[in-house]
Amino acid sequence: MRTLTSYSRVLLILIFFAAVSLANAAAHPGGRLIVIRVANFGWNVAANLKIDGQTVGNIVQGRRYDHRISAGRHVLTVSAVPNNDMRQPTSITVNVRPGGTYIFTALWDSDHVYLRPTTLSPAEMAKLGL
């Protein structure tokens, strides 16, 4: 009987924490941010992605950034790493709405890297699993 009471307490605590987590997620809705890297980006170069000045990752060949992002205005900054030529990073602003999905492509333009909102067709996005 004593063991059953202990399990009941643990179960109630887990239910409580799950409810608090769900309430927090509902209180802070956000969107989904996906940044893909073009195939000809370079085999030995990654795209460094920053959100609001904080590095969130380096996107290497064959990978992408795909995470939740809080609602509101954000500045996305991208640069090449390694940055042997001391190229300046470029930035773009995105206004994230709850439930929205924002897809950008990291591209090269002669001497710098930049983000462009996706121009992929629905078929191309399906191929990428988006």
Side-chain angles (χ1 to χ4, degrees):
M1 188 70 145
R2 181 179 223 148
T3 307
L4 184 59
T5 305
S6 295
Y7 286 131
S8 297
R9 286 182 187 155
V10 170
L11 183 61
L12 285 173
I13 290 170
L14 289 174
I15 291 170
F16 173 76
F17 281 112
V20 169
S21 267
L22 287 173
N24 282 340
H28 302 288
R32 181 179 178 195
L33 174 65
I34 301 170
V35 179
I36 56 178
R37 198 182 95 142
V38 293
N40 64 354
F41 197 88
W43 66 270
N44 61 346
V45 180
N48 175 264
L49 178 64
K50 293 181 181 184
I51 301 175
D52 300 327
Q54 298 293 318
T55 297
V56 294
N58 289 325
I59 308 165
V60 297
Q61 187 173 15
R63 302 286 184 196
R64 67 177 173 234
Y65 179 85
D66 186 349
H67 291 280
R68 304 288 304 164
I69 186 169
S70 62
R73 185 181 171 125
H74 296 283
V75 177
L76 309 179
T77 303
V78 68
S79 61
V81 288
N83 191 359
N84 297 331
D85 298 327
M86 302 303 288
R87 295 181 174 107
Q88 294 296 312
T90 60
S91 298
I92 189 169
T93 302
V94 61
N95 189 19
V96 176
R97 293 197 168 90
T101 298
Y102 303 87
I103 305 172
F104 292 88
T105 304
L107 303 159
W108 274 104
D109 181 17
S110 66
D111 65 345
H112 69 279
V113 179
Y114 66 98
L115 292 173
R116 180 183 69 193
T118 191
T119 56
L120 296 174
S121 70
E124 291 170 321
M125 288 193 294
K127 255 175 92 173
L128 292 172
L130 304 177

